[in-house]
């Protein structure tokens, strides 16, 4: 197992390096005036030249690439101050180090992700498992029908409706906001309950359908039918063989969903006016803040690679044959 994890980790580091190189050449080495974006509209030639020198754009391209990649590991020095590792550059729009901005916004995004995962996994997988176990009954039909209806909703549609009912009309709850968990756990839960509820509702419907179909498919496999033919109890066969075998496709989608949410739940954060990684990515794109956009892209790529490693480890635990491959 250790060699399996090491192989995946080395591959992830190489992939992250290639993504960083592609990001650099896409934004910095592209035929665009990188310094003029930092200078702004009312920019004099002298000021533009100073910015080019400060950003190192007057250096050879290979030197710029080395400074960018080594800065992620060892940090860099800018005229406005030092940028400790991991240095992702300085934001034109905010005037701060990109890494500091990401670290400041990351707790909110992590809170939404963790809260949503707990809700939609517990409810979605549980409902899908119950529907598969009671296949063809009223419970199965209600769960399947409800999941089909809810999965057609979108966060930007369901979110305003929930806000209108529970916040603006009845006043039962306040506008969503982020309160650090370490300062006020109750305030953290209340402030993010509506976004987590809305996001979980849609994901729950998807995982209910996915779990039900995957378990039913596993119940038709030869080894499951053989176990039933040997006289093993239905519950034992269901949980020991069918349930575990159905986890592989679910783990695959779960890894993709978690990495996407950690990389920035753009729709959720914009719908509820929350200042997370997703909102930071939108600000970087709107303001043409290339260092900020590059930084968010690299952080998003890191989460995707991290979740791929965790998914591979989960594969190896669920199906030992994966380790040999």
């Amino acid at each position: 197992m250790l060699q399996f994890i090491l192989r995946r980790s080395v591959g992830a580091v190489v992939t992250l390096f290639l993504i960083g190189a592609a990001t650099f050449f896409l934004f910095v080495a592209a035929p665009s005036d990188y310094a003029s974006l930092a200078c702004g509209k009312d920019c004099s030639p002298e000021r533009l030249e100073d910015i080019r020198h400060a950003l190192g754009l007057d250096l050879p391209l290979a030197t710029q690439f080395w400074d960018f990649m080594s800065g992620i590991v060892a940090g860099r020095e800018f005229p406005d101050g030092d940028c400790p590792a991991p240095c992702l550059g300085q934001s034109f729009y905010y005037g701060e180090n990109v890494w500091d901005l990401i670290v400041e916004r990351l707790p909110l995004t992590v809170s939404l992700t963790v809260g949503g995962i707990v809700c939609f996994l517990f409810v979605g997988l549980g409902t899908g498992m119950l529907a598969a176990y009671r296949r063809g009954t009223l419970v199965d039909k209600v769960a399947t029908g409800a999941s089909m209806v809810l999965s057609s909703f979108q966060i930007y549609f369901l979110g305003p409706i929930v806000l209108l009912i529970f916040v603006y009309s009845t006043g039962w709850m306040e506008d969503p906001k982020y309160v650090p968990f370490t300062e006020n756990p109750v305030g953290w839960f209340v402030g993010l309950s509506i976004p987590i509820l809305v996001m979980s509702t849609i994901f729950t419907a998807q995982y209910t359908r996915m779990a039900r179909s995957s378990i039913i498919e596993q119940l038709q496999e030869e080894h499951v039918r053989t176990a039933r033919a040997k006289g093993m109890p239905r519950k034992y066969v269901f949980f020991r063989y069918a349930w575990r075998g159905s986890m592989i496709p679910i783990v695959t989608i779960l890894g993709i969903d978690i990495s996407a949410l950690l990389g920035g739940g753009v729709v959720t954060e914009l719908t509820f006016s929350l200042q997370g990684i997703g909102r930071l990515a939108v600000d970087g794109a709107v303001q043409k803040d290339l260092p900020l956009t590059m930084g968010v892209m690299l952080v998003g790529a890191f989460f995707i690679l991290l979740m791929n490693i965790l998914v591979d480890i989960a594969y190896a635990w669920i199906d030992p044959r994966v380790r040999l491959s």
Side-chain angles (χ1 to χ4, degrees):
M1 175 65 81
L2 181 59
Q3 293 181 350
F4 178 82
I5 297 175
L6 289 176
R7 288 201 310 268
R8 293 296 188 270
S9 300
V10 171
V13 171
V14 174
T15 303
L16 192 61
F17 173 81
L18 295 176
I19 292 175
T23 303
F24 171 83
F25 287 105
L26 179 64
F27 287 103
V28 178
S32 60
D33 196 352
Y34 183 50
S36 64
L37 297 176
C39 191
K41 296 181 179 180
D42 301 329
C43 183
S44 62
E46 294 78 11
R47 173 62 178 166
L48 182 61
E49 188 62 29
D50 292 339
I51 291 178
R52 290 185 184 276
H53 178 70
L55 295 177
L57 298 180
D58 53 350
L59 299 175
L61 187 60
T63 304
Q64 296 182 44
F65 176 70
W66 171 256
D67 291 341
F68 174 74
M69 298 302 295
S70 62
I72 299 177
V73 179
R76 297 178 61 182
E77 292 185 1
F78 291 98
D80 297 336
D82 294 336
C83 180
C87 179
L88 300 176
Q90 291 182 326
S91 170
F92 302 157
Y93 180 67
Y94 290 98
E96 301 179 30
N97 290 337
V98 172
W99 178 249
D100 294 338
L101 292 171
I102 293 176
V103 170
E104 180 183 351
R105 304 288 186 92
L106 188 59
L108 187 150
T109 302
V110 172
S111 297
L112 287 176
T113 302
V114 173
I117 291 171
V118 171
C119 290
F120 68 69
L121 277 186
F122 181 77
V123 179
L125 296 185
T127 305
M129 180 176 61
L130 180 61
Y133 189 78
R134 302 292 299 274
R135 182 184 181 186
T137 64
L138 180 62
V139 174
D140 179 26
K141 295 178 181 179
V142 171
T144 304
S147 65
M148 292 182 64
V149 173
L150 293 177
S151 63
S152 64
F153 289 167
Q154 296 296 327
I155 295 176
Y156 54 80
F157 170 77
L158 189 59
I161 294 177
V162 175
L163 288 175
L164 179 63
I165 296 174
F166 292 99
V167 177
Y168 305 130
S169 297
T170 62
W172 291 346
M173 302 187 70
E174 298 180 354
D175 278 327
K177 61 181 178 180
Y178 174 70
V179 178
F181 181 83
T182 55
E183 296 181 5
N184 187 354
V186 176
W188 171 86
F189 175 77
V190 173
L192 296 180
S193 58
I194 291 181
I196 290 176
L197 176 64
V198 171
M199 182 175 63
S200 301
T201 299
I202 297 172
F203 278 95
T204 295
Q206 298 173 356
Y207 278 84
T208 296
R209 298 174 60 190
M210 190 188 315
R212 178 186 179 276
S213 61
S214 183
I215 294 175
I216 291 177
E217 181 180 352
Q218 284 296 314
L219 289 173
Q220 308 302 320
E221 294 290 334
E222 290 292 338
H223 66 282
V224 177
R225 295 161 65 181
T226 302
R228 291 291 304 276
K230 290 182 178 180
M232 294 183 180
R234 181 187 178 193
K235 291 184 179 179
Y236 179 82
V237 173
F238 185 87
F239 290 102
R240 177 64 177 83
Y241 296 103
W243 170 246
R244 183 170 182 175
S246 67
M247 284 294 99
I248 289 183
I250 295 176
V251 167
T252 302
I253 303 301
L254 178 62
I256 297 174
D257 289 339
I258 294 176
S259 59
L261 292 174
L262 287 174
V266 178
V267 178
T268 303
E269 294 175 10
L270 290 179
T271 300
F272 297 100
S273 300
L274 298 173
Q275 302 296 323
I277 298 296
R279 186 58 179 265
L280 199 63
V282 173
D283 290 343
V286 172
Q287 301 298 330
K288 298 181 180 180
D289 193 336
L290 295 187
L292 183 59
T293 303
M294 292 166 61
V296 174
M297 285 183 59
L298 286 176
V299 170
F302 168 78
F303 283 128
I304 292 175
L305 292 174
L306 176 63
M307 291 312 305
N308 283 337
I309 294 176
L310 296 179
V311 166
D312 289 340
I313 295 174
Y315 278 175
W317 177 76
I318 295 172
D319 188 353
R321 294 174 300 179
V322 177
R323 308 173 200 172
L324 301 177
S325 62

PDB file of all heavy atoms in Angstrom, residues 123-155:
ATOM      1  N   VAL A 123     -27.500  11.587   4.046  1.00  0.00           N
ATOM      2  CA  VAL A 123     -28.887  11.464   3.595  1.00  0.00           C
ATOM      3  C   VAL A 123     -28.956  10.784   2.230  1.00  0.00           C
ATOM      4  O   VAL A 123     -29.776   9.876   2.014  1.00  0.00           O
ATOM      5  CB  VAL A 123     -29.556  12.860   3.533  1.00  0.00           C
ATOM      6  CG1 VAL A 123     -30.999  12.731   3.038  1.00  0.00           C
ATOM      7  CG2 VAL A 123     -29.521  13.521   4.906  1.00  0.00           C
ATOM      8  N   GLY A 124     -28.113  11.196   1.298  1.00  0.00           N
ATOM      9  CA  GLY A 124     -28.181  10.663  -0.066  1.00  0.00           C
ATOM     10  C   GLY A 124     -27.863   9.186  -0.144  1.00  0.00           C
ATOM     11  O   GLY A 124     -28.626   8.399  -0.726  1.00  0.00           O
ATOM     12  N   LEU A 125     -26.725   8.782   0.457  1.00  0.00           N
ATOM     13  CA  LEU A 125     -26.363   7.370   0.402  1.00  0.00           C
ATOM     14  C   LEU A 125     -27.329   6.516   1.216  1.00  0.00           C
ATOM     15  O   LEU A 125     -27.662   5.399   0.826  1.00  0.00           O
ATOM     16  CB  LEU A 125     -24.932   7.178   0.904  1.00  0.00           C
ATOM     17  CG  LEU A 125     -23.825   7.838   0.070  1.00  0.00           C
ATOM     18  CD1 LEU A 125     -22.461   7.455   0.612  1.00  0.00           C
ATOM     19  CD2 LEU A 125     -23.943   7.458  -1.403  1.00  0.00           C
ATOM     20  N   GLY A 126     -27.767   7.057   2.350  1.00  0.00           N
ATOM     21  CA  GLY A 126     -28.726   6.299   3.156  1.00  0.00           C
ATOM     22  C   GLY A 126     -30.040   6.088   2.433  1.00  0.00           C
ATOM     23  O   GLY A 126     -30.597   4.975   2.433  1.00  0.00           O
ATOM     24  N   THR A 127     -30.536   7.132   1.769  1.00  0.00           N
ATOM     25  CA  THR A 127     -31.795   7.002   1.031  1.00  0.00           C
ATOM     26  C   THR A 127     -31.638   6.079  -0.169  1.00  0.00           C
ATOM     27  O   THR A 127     -32.520   5.261  -0.466  1.00  0.00           O
ATOM     28  CB  THR A 127     -32.272   8.383   0.562  1.00  0.00           C
ATOM     29  OG1 THR A 127     -32.364   9.265   1.690  1.00  0.00           O
ATOM     30  CG2 THR A 127     -33.631   8.290  -0.110  1.00  0.00           C
ATOM     31  N   GLY A 128     -30.508   6.205  -0.875  1.00  0.00           N
ATOM     32  CA  GLY A 128     -30.278   5.325  -2.018  1.00  0.00           C
ATOM     33  C   GLY A 128     -30.151   3.875  -1.612  1.00  0.00           C
ATOM     34  O   GLY A 128     -30.660   2.975  -2.305  1.00  0.00           O
ATOM     35  N   MET A 129     -29.493   3.624  -0.488  1.00  0.00           N
ATOM     36  CA  MET A 129     -29.356   2.254   0.006  1.00  0.00           C
ATOM     37  C   MET A 129     -30.717   1.686   0.402  1.00  0.00           C
ATOM     38  O   MET A 129     -31.034   0.527   0.088  1.00  0.00           O
ATOM     39  CB  MET A 129     -28.411   2.240   1.207  1.00  0.00           C
ATOM     40  CG  MET A 129     -28.181   0.866   1.804  1.00  0.00           C
ATOM     41  SD  MET A 129     -26.976   0.915   3.149  1.00  0.00           S
ATOM     42  CE  MET A 129     -27.818   2.005   4.296  1.00  0.00           C
ATOM     43  N   LEU A 130     -31.525   2.502   1.075  1.00  0.00           N
ATOM     44  CA  LEU A 130     -32.863   2.046   1.471  1.00  0.00           C
ATOM     45  C   LEU A 130     -33.735   1.759   0.250  1.00  0.00           C
ATOM     46  O   LEU A 130     -34.483   0.765   0.210  1.00  0.00           O
ATOM     47  CB  LEU A 130     -33.519   3.096   2.361  1.00  0.00           C
ATOM     48  CG  LEU A 130     -34.929   2.782   2.871  1.00  0.00           C
ATOM     49  CD1 LEU A 130     -34.910   1.526   3.724  1.00  0.00           C
ATOM     50  CD2 LEU A 130     -35.484   3.972   3.658  1.00  0.00           C
ATOM     51  N   ALA A 131     -33.632   2.634  -0.769  1.00  0.00           N
ATOM     52  CA  ALA A 131     -34.429   2.429  -1.981  1.00  0.00           C
ATOM     53  C   ALA A 131     -34.021   1.150  -2.700  1.00  0.00           C
ATOM     54  O   ALA A 131     -34.863   0.421  -3.236  1.00  0.00           O
ATOM     55  CB  ALA A 131     -34.285   3.636  -2.906  1.00  0.00           C
ATOM     56  N   ALA A 132     -32.706   0.864  -2.734  1.00  0.00           N
ATOM     57  CA  ALA A 132     -32.241  -0.363  -3.381  1.00  0.00           C
ATOM     58  C   ALA A 132     -32.657  -1.599  -2.590  1.00  0.00           C
ATOM     59  O   ALA A 132     -33.026  -2.625  -3.169  1.00  0.00           O
ATOM     60  CB  ALA A 132     -30.722  -0.323  -3.546  1.00  0.00           C
ATOM     61  N   TYR A 133     -32.598  -1.492  -1.273  1.00  0.00           N
ATOM     62  CA  TYR A 133     -32.965  -2.633  -0.433  1.00  0.00           C
ATOM     63  C   TYR A 133     -34.455  -2.936  -0.520  1.00  0.00           C
ATOM     64  O   TYR A 133     -34.861  -4.100  -0.481  1.00  0.00           O
ATOM     65  CB  TYR A 133     -32.567  -2.333   1.011  1.00  0.00           C
ATOM     66  CG  TYR A 133     -32.704  -3.511   1.947  1.00  0.00           C
ATOM     67  CD1 TYR A 133     -31.748  -4.520   1.950  1.00  0.00           C
ATOM     68  CD2 TYR A 133     -33.774  -3.606   2.825  1.00  0.00           C
ATOM     69  CE1 TYR A 133     -31.862  -5.616   2.801  1.00  0.00           C
ATOM     70  CE2 TYR A 133     -33.895  -4.689   3.685  1.00  0.00           C
ATOM     71  CZ  TYR A 133     -32.936  -5.684   3.669  1.00  0.00           C
ATOM     72  OH  TYR A 133     -33.067  -6.762   4.512  1.00  0.00           O
ATOM     73  N   ARG A 134     -35.270  -1.870  -0.665  1.00  0.00           N
ATOM     74  CA  ARG A 134     -36.725  -2.031  -0.767  1.00  0.00           C
ATOM     75  C   ARG A 134     -37.179  -1.791  -2.204  1.00  0.00           C
ATOM     76  O   ARG A 134     -38.206  -1.157  -2.449  1.00  0.00           O
ATOM     77  CB  ARG A 134     -37.419  -1.043   0.178  1.00  0.00           C
ATOM     78  CG  ARG A 134     -37.030  -1.170   1.637  1.00  0.00           C
ATOM     79  CD  ARG A 134     -37.524  -2.463   2.238  1.00  0.00           C
ATOM     80  NE  ARG A 134     -38.982  -2.516   2.160  1.00  0.00           N
ATOM     81  CZ  ARG A 134     -39.785  -1.977   3.078  1.00  0.00           C
ATOM     82  NH1 ARG A 134     -39.275  -1.336   4.119  1.00  0.00           N
ATOM     83  NH2 ARG A 134     -41.095  -2.080   2.955  1.00  0.00           N
ATOM     84  N   ARG A 135     -36.430  -2.296  -3.134  1.00  0.00           N
ATOM     85  CA  ARG A 135     -36.695  -2.057  -4.555  1.00  0.00           C
ATOM     86  C   ARG A 135     -38.111  -2.507  -4.939  1.00  0.00           C
ATOM     87  O   ARG A 135     -38.546  -3.611  -4.589  1.00  0.00           O
ATOM     88  CB  ARG A 135     -35.673  -2.808  -5.399  1.00  0.00           C
ATOM     89  CG  ARG A 135     -35.832  -2.593  -6.894  1.00  0.00           C
ATOM     90  CD  ARG A 135     -34.836  -3.445  -7.651  1.00  0.00           C
ATOM     91  NE  ARG A 135     -34.945  -3.258  -9.093  1.00  0.00           N
ATOM     92  CZ  ARG A 135     -34.266  -3.963  -9.990  1.00  0.00           C
ATOM     93  NH1 ARG A 135     -33.424  -4.912  -9.584  1.00  0.00           N
ATOM     94  NH2 ARG A 135     -34.426  -3.731 -11.282  1.00  0.00           N
ATOM     95  N   GLY A 136     -38.788  -1.605  -5.664  1.00  0.00           N
ATOM     96  CA  GLY A 136     -40.124  -1.908  -6.143  1.00  0.00           C
ATOM     97  C   GLY A 136     -41.231  -1.548  -5.182  1.00  0.00           C
ATOM     98  O   GLY A 136     -42.416  -1.585  -5.563  1.00  0.00           O
ATOM     99  N   THR A 137     -40.900  -1.172  -3.945  1.00  0.00           N
ATOM    100  CA  THR A 137     -41.916  -0.819  -2.967  1.00  0.00           C
ATOM    101  C   THR A 137     -42.232   0.672  -3.043  1.00  0.00           C
ATOM    102  O   THR A 137     -41.635   1.425  -3.826  1.00  0.00           O
ATOM    103  CB  THR A 137     -41.449  -1.179  -1.549  1.00  0.00           C
ATOM    104  OG1 THR A 137     -40.285  -0.388  -1.231  1.00  0.00           O
ATOM    105  CG2 THR A 137     -41.085  -2.646  -1.465  1.00  0.00           C
ATOM    106  N   LEU A 138     -43.169   1.101  -2.204  1.00  0.00           N
ATOM    107  CA  LEU A 138     -43.538   2.514  -2.168  1.00  0.00           C
ATOM    108  C   LEU A 138     -42.363   3.387  -1.742  1.00  0.00           C
ATOM    109  O   LEU A 138     -42.187   4.501  -2.247  1.00  0.00           O
ATOM    110  CB  LEU A 138     -44.725   2.707  -1.214  1.00  0.00           C
ATOM    111  CG  LEU A 138     -45.240   4.150  -1.056  1.00  0.00           C
ATOM    112  CD1 LEU A 138     -45.741   4.675  -2.393  1.00  0.00           C
ATOM    113  CD2 LEU A 138     -46.348   4.206   0.002  1.00  0.00           C
ATOM    114  N   VAL A 139     -41.565   2.881  -0.813  1.00  0.00           N
ATOM    115  CA  VAL A 139     -40.386   3.639  -0.365  1.00  0.00           C
ATOM    116  C   VAL A 139     -39.447   3.904  -1.534  1.00  0.00           C
ATOM    117  O   VAL A 139     -38.931   5.028  -1.706  1.00  0.00           O
ATOM    118  CB  VAL A 139     -39.662   2.864   0.751  1.00  0.00           C
ATOM    119  CG1 VAL A 139     -38.347   3.560   1.119  1.00  0.00           C
ATOM    120  CG2 VAL A 139     -40.550   2.721   1.972  1.00  0.00           C
ATOM    121  N   ASP A 140     -39.208   2.903  -2.355  1.00  0.00           N
ATOM    122  CA  ASP A 140     -38.334   3.053  -3.515  1.00  0.00           C
ATOM    123  C   ASP A 140     -38.905   4.063  -4.503  1.00  0.00           C
ATOM    124  O   ASP A 140     -38.184   4.925  -5.019  1.00  0.00           O
ATOM    125  CB  ASP A 140     -38.152   1.690  -4.175  1.00  0.00           C
ATOM    126  CG  ASP A 140     -37.268   1.757  -5.407  1.00  0.00           C
ATOM    127  OD1 ASP A 140     -36.417   2.665  -5.489  1.00  0.00           O
ATOM    128  OD2 ASP A 140     -37.432   0.908  -6.305  1.00  0.00           O
ATOM    129  N   LYS A 141     -40.195   4.000  -4.766  1.00  0.00           N
ATOM    130  CA  LYS A 141     -40.814   4.902  -5.733  1.00  0.00           C
ATOM    131  C   LYS A 141     -40.784   6.349  -5.249  1.00  0.00           C
ATOM    132  O   LYS A 141     -40.515   7.270  -6.019  1.00  0.00           O
ATOM    133  CB  LYS A 141     -42.249   4.459  -6.006  1.00  0.00           C
ATOM    134  CG  LYS A 141     -42.342   3.096  -6.699  1.00  0.00           C
ATOM    135  CD  LYS A 141     -43.784   2.668  -6.903  1.00  0.00           C
ATOM    136  CE  LYS A 141     -43.853   1.297  -7.576  1.00  0.00           C
ATOM    137  NZ  LYS A 141     -45.254   0.832  -7.763  1.00  0.00           N
ATOM    138  N   VAL A 142     -41.057   6.573  -3.959  1.00  0.00           N
ATOM    139  CA  VAL A 142     -41.032   7.936  -3.418  1.00  0.00           C
ATOM    140  C   VAL A 142     -39.613   8.501  -3.454  1.00  0.00           C
ATOM    141  O   VAL A 142     -39.393   9.646  -3.869  1.00  0.00           O
ATOM    142  CB  VAL A 142     -41.582   7.943  -1.981  1.00  0.00           C
ATOM    143  CG1 VAL A 142     -41.359   9.310  -1.332  1.00  0.00           C
ATOM    144  CG2 VAL A 142     -43.066   7.595  -1.976  1.00  0.00           C
ATOM    145  N   ALA A 143     -38.637   7.702  -3.032  1.00  0.00           N
ATOM    146  CA  ALA A 143     -37.253   8.173  -3.018  1.00  0.00           C
ATOM    147  C   ALA A 143     -36.760   8.470  -4.436  1.00  0.00           C
ATOM    148  O   ALA A 143     -36.101   9.495  -4.681  1.00  0.00           O
ATOM    149  CB  ALA A 143     -36.353   7.130  -2.351  1.00  0.00           C
ATOM    150  N   THR A 144     -37.075   7.605  -5.375  1.00  0.00           N
ATOM    151  CA  THR A 144     -36.644   7.811  -6.758  1.00  0.00           C
ATOM    152  C   THR A 144     -37.316   9.030  -7.369  1.00  0.00           C
ATOM    153  O   THR A 144     -36.662   9.849  -8.036  1.00  0.00           O
ATOM    154  CB  THR A 144     -36.960   6.567  -7.599  1.00  0.00           C
ATOM    155  OG1 THR A 144     -36.343   5.423  -7.011  1.00  0.00           O
ATOM    156  CG2 THR A 144     -36.445   6.735  -9.011  1.00  0.00           C
ATOM    157  N   GLY A 145     -38.618   9.174  -7.149  1.00  0.00           N
ATOM    158  CA  GLY A 145     -39.328  10.326  -7.701  1.00  0.00           C
ATOM    159  C   GLY A 145     -38.842  11.639  -7.127  1.00  0.00           C
ATOM    160  O   GLY A 145     -38.637  12.617  -7.855  1.00  0.00           O
ATOM    161  N   ALA A 146     -38.638  11.674  -5.807  1.00  0.00           N
ATOM    162  CA  ALA A 146     -38.162  12.904  -5.178  1.00  0.00           C
ATOM    163  C   ALA A 146     -36.760  13.264  -5.656  1.00  0.00           C
ATOM    164  O   ALA A 146     -36.454  14.442  -5.896  1.00  0.00           O
ATOM    165  CB  ALA A 146     -38.175  12.743  -3.662  1.00  0.00           C
ATOM    166  N   SER A 147     -35.901  12.261  -5.824  1.00  0.00           N
ATOM    167  CA  SER A 147     -34.542  12.538  -6.286  1.00  0.00           C
ATOM    168  C   SER A 147     -34.530  13.058  -7.717  1.00  0.00           C
ATOM    169  O   SER A 147     -33.727  13.937  -8.064  1.00  0.00           O
ATOM    170  CB  SER A 147     -33.682  11.275  -6.178  1.00  0.00           C
ATOM    171  OG  SER A 147     -34.160  10.261  -7.048  1.00  0.00           O
ATOM    172  N   MET A 148     -35.407  12.563  -8.553  1.00  0.00           N
ATOM    173  CA  MET A 148     -35.471  13.029  -9.939  1.00  0.00           C
ATOM    174  C   MET A 148     -35.936  14.482  -9.997  1.00  0.00           C
ATOM    175  O   MET A 148     -35.426  15.276 -10.797  1.00  0.00           O
ATOM    176  CB  MET A 148     -36.407  12.141 -10.745  1.00  0.00           C
ATOM    177  CG  MET A 148     -35.897  10.722 -10.958  1.00  0.00           C
ATOM    178  SD  MET A 148     -37.007   9.714 -11.969  1.00  0.00           S
ATOM    179  CE  MET A 148     -36.935  10.600 -13.527  1.00  0.00           C
ATOM    180  N   VAL A 149     -36.883  14.845  -9.139  1.00  0.00           N
ATOM    181  CA  VAL A 149     -37.372  16.226  -9.125  1.00  0.00           C
ATOM    182  C   VAL A 149     -36.306  17.168  -8.586  1.00  0.00           C
ATOM    183  O   VAL A 149     -36.002  18.218  -9.174  1.00  0.00           O
ATOM    184  CB  VAL A 149     -38.662  16.323  -8.293  1.00  0.00           C
ATOM    185  CG1 VAL A 149     -39.079  17.789  -8.126  1.00  0.00           C
ATOM    186  CG2 VAL A 149     -39.787  15.534  -8.946  1.00  0.00           C
ATOM    187  N   LEU A 150     -35.706  16.812  -7.448  1.00  0.00           N
ATOM    188  CA  LEU A 150     -34.733  17.701  -6.808  1.00  0.00           C
ATOM    189  C   LEU A 150     -33.452  17.829  -7.616  1.00  0.00           C
ATOM    190  O   LEU A 150     -32.801  18.878  -7.591  1.00  0.00           O
ATOM    191  CB  LEU A 150     -34.416  17.186  -5.407  1.00  0.00           C
ATOM    192  CG  LEU A 150     -35.568  17.253  -4.399  1.00  0.00           C
ATOM    193  CD1 LEU A 150     -35.152  16.646  -3.074  1.00  0.00           C
ATOM    194  CD2 LEU A 150     -36.038  18.691  -4.201  1.00  0.00           C
ATOM    195  N   SER A 151     -33.064  16.773  -8.336  1.00  0.00           N
ATOM    196  CA  SER A 151     -31.835  16.846  -9.130  1.00  0.00           C
ATOM    197  C   SER A 151     -31.962  17.789 -10.321  1.00  0.00           C
ATOM    198  O   SER A 151     -30.952  18.201 -10.900  1.00  0.00           O
ATOM    199  CB  SER A 151     -31.438  15.448  -9.621  1.00  0.00           C
ATOM    200  OG  SER A 151     -32.436  14.913 -10.477  1.00  0.00           O
ATOM    201  N   SER A 152     -33.190  18.132 -10.694  1.00  0.00           N
ATOM    202  CA  SER A 152     -33.393  19.071 -11.802  1.00  0.00           C
ATOM    203  C   SER A 152     -33.257  20.519 -11.363  1.00  0.00           C
ATOM    204  O   SER A 152     -33.181  21.420 -12.198  1.00  0.00           O
ATOM    205  CB  SER A 152     -34.779  18.857 -12.431  1.00  0.00           C
ATOM    206  OG  SER A 152     -35.806  19.147 -11.495  1.00  0.00           O
ATOM    207  N   PHE A 153     -33.230  20.770 -10.052  1.00  0.00           N
ATOM    208  CA  PHE A 153     -33.069  22.129  -9.541  1.00  0.00           C
ATOM    209  C   PHE A 153     -31.609  22.563  -9.658  1.00  0.00           C
ATOM    210  O   PHE A 153     -30.704  21.751  -9.781  1.00  0.00           O
ATOM    211  CB  PHE A 153     -33.511  22.221  -8.087  1.00  0.00           C
ATOM    212  CG  PHE A 153     -35.008  22.103  -7.890  1.00  0.00           C
ATOM    213  CD1 PHE A 153     -35.542  21.909  -6.635  1.00  0.00           C
ATOM    214  CD2 PHE A 153     -35.870  22.181  -8.961  1.00  0.00           C
ATOM    215  CE1 PHE A 153     -36.910  21.799  -6.440  1.00  0.00           C
ATOM    216  CE2 PHE A 153     -37.233  22.074  -8.798  1.00  0.00           C
ATOM    217  CZ  PHE A 153     -37.752  21.876  -7.533  1.00  0.00           C
ATOM    218  N   GLN A 154     -31.410  23.861  -9.592  1.00  0.00           N
ATOM    219  CA  GLN A 154     -30.076  24.436  -9.578  1.00  0.00           C
ATOM    220  C   GLN A 154     -29.935  25.355  -8.363  1.00  0.00           C
ATOM    221  O   GLN A 154     -30.920  25.866  -7.849  1.00  0.00           O
ATOM    222  CB  GLN A 154     -29.798  25.235 -10.861  1.00  0.00           C
ATOM    223  CG  GLN A 154     -29.799  24.403 -12.126  1.00  0.00           C
ATOM    224  CD  GLN A 154     -28.698  23.375 -12.159  1.00  0.00           C
ATOM    225  OE1 GLN A 154     -27.620  23.586 -11.629  1.00  0.00           O
ATOM    226  NE2 GLN A 154     -28.966  22.241 -12.801  1.00  0.00           N
ATOM    227  N   ILE A 155     -28.693  25.532  -7.920  1.00  0.00           N
ATOM    228  CA  ILE A 155     -28.466  26.331  -6.718  1.00  0.00           C
ATOM    229  C   ILE A 155     -28.936  27.767  -6.918  1.00  0.00           C
ATOM    230  O   ILE A 155     -29.556  28.357  -6.025  1.00  0.00           O
ATOM    231  CB  ILE A 155     -26.975  26.296  -6.338  1.00  0.00           C
ATOM    232  CG1 ILE A 155     -26.568  24.878  -5.952  1.00  0.00           C
ATOM    233  CG2 ILE A 155     -26.672  27.262  -5.204  1.00  0.00           C
ATOM    234  CD1 ILE A 155     -25.103  24.706  -5.650  1.00  0.00           C
TER     235      ILE A 155
END
